[in-house]
Amino acid sequence: MRTNARVTFLKGGVPTYDFEIGDYVEQEPIRETKACHLSTLGLDRSFSLFGDYKSEVKIIRLLQPYRKPFDLVEINGVPHKWVHNRLDHKVFYVAVDSVNEDG
C-alpha cells in the first residue's frame, strides 16, 4: 500500500492542577506521527454508515496496527476526533473535532 499523508496521534495535553503554585498547568501532549493512506468517505457512504452527512469523515489506513490509546488525530494541523476503527486498528474513521475549531 502506498502512503500519501502523515497523521499525528495525540495523547494527553489535559491541564492538571498544581498544588504548589495553586493553578492549572498545561501539559504537552504526547505526539506520534505515522505514515498512512488518507482518503475521504463519500456522502452516501457516510450517511449509510454513521447516519450523518454533515461532518466530513476521513479514512486513515495504516501499514501497521496502532493500538496505543490516543485522544485526537491531527491531519495537516487540524484536530480530528476518532469515530470508528476496523481491521484490528489498521483503519480509522475520523471527523473534524468541532469542539477545538476556532470560530
Side-chain angles (χ1 to χ4, degrees):
M1 175 177 67
R2 294 185 182 195
T3 60
N4 64 356
R6 302 230 180 247
V7 295
T8 304
F9 292 93
L10 301 172
K11 174 66 179 164
V14 178
T16 57
Y17 189 77
D18 188 359
F19 291 101
E20 292 180 10
I21 61 173
D23 201 6
Y24 283 92
V25 178
E26 288 285 331
Q27 293 182 348
E28 283 293 318
I30 299 169
R31 297 173 176 267
E32 190 168 354
T33 303
K34 297 286 184 182
C36 71
H37 183 272
L38 184 66
S39 60
T40 58
L41 192 61
L43 291 177
D44 299 340
R45 189 83 169 132
S46 178
F47 189 73
S48 66
L49 288 176
F50 303 111
D52 183 18
Y53 59 88
K54 293 182 181 179
S55 62
E56 182 182 345
V57 177
K58 295 184 180 180
I59 305 170
I60 300 171
R61 291 180 177 89
L62 299 172
L63 297 172
Q64 298 293 324
Y66 188 81
R67 292 190 176 95
K68 297 177 185 176
F70 62 92
D71 298 324
L72 292 173
V73 177
E74 236 180 31
I75 302 170
N76 296 329
V78 179
H80 290 69
K81 62 182 176 181
W82 171 84
V83 177
H84 190 69
N85 72 42
R86 295 226 169 144
L87 295 176
D88 197 28
H89 300 278
K90 280 189 177 180
V91 178
F92 292 93
Y93 294 90
V94 294
V96 174
D97 187 11
S98 60
V99 174
N100 291 334
E101 283 184 355
D102 293 337

